[in-house]
Amino acid sequence: MDFVVTADGSSTLYHAEVGEHYHSKHGALQESKHVFVHSGLAHYIEKENTDSISILEVGFGTGLNFLQSADYSINERLKLHYCGIEAYPLTADIIFGTGYDNYVVPTVWTAFKDKYVDALTKSVHFTDGIDWHVAHCKVLEFKSDQLFDVIYFDAFAAIHQPEMWTDETLAHVCQYLRVGGVFVTYAITGNLKRSMKALGFKIEKAPGAPGKREMLRAVKL
């Protein structure tokens, strides 16, 4: 895998087998903060007026969304339970070479380096108020006894990975979202909107990250 510098100066990885980058070439860091942290995590916290949140991420990838969420939670003194689903976890050498230590407080990066390998097999105490697990499985194999407040849906685009955007996959993932919970993704297509409506969601067209006019945010009714 090759590192690529995106438009905002942050790096991402190019996955040659899939034929796509892990993050937007218009700005990996900007996309993570805008689509997931601000439009998902922060939006839910404000909407529910709470200081505690649980997040399920589909496509853990490089860990950028988790790192930004952990950093935000520490700054805002939030309690965070975070679970990422990743069928093909990156090796420690690759994931620690992203340069994402430049975008989080040192305590977050230190905990990430110390606990990444353990998090692939079990839930770990990340920092005070934060626990974290990366479910090493395919998305349709994922199971949980817990319902989550927010879903970060960050799979590769449908043109490259169509199986991740099917009605079956979306239904499987969304069963783990509580009523009133928020589903966010960088994409917004007619098929996706129809699928989410059929699953009982209220669709919101939110402003997109750089390079995209709109993104999808949906609330489970």
Side-chain angles (χ1 to χ4, degrees), residues 80-83 115 117-126 130-135 146:
L80 172 65
H81 170 69
Y82 198 104
C83 179
K115 298 174 182 181
V117 174
D118 286 343
L120 296 175
T121 59
K122 61 184 179 181
S123 180
V124 299
H125 173 74
F126 187 72
I130 301 177
D131 62 272
W132 167 46
H133 175 51
V134 181
Q146 178 180 357

Side-chain angles (χ1 to χ4, degrees), residues 136-147:
H136 181 185
C137 64
K138 294 183 177 179
V139 65
L140 291 176
E141 297 171 350
F142 176 76
K143 295 180 181 179
S144 176
D145 295 329
Q146 178 180 357
L147 293 178

Side-chain angles (χ1 to χ4, degrees), residues 42-75:
H43 175 80
Y44 182 85
I45 289 293
E46 182 178 354
K47 179 173 77 81
E48 298 295 330
N49 190 26
T50 180
D51 63 357
S52 178
I53 190 168
S54 57
I55 295 173
L56 176 64
E57 179 180 17
V58 178
F60 183 81
T62 64
L64 179 58
N65 296 332
F66 167 67
L67 288 166
Q68 290 303 306
S69 298
D71 192 72
Y72 182 90
S73 296
I74 288 173
N75 288 337

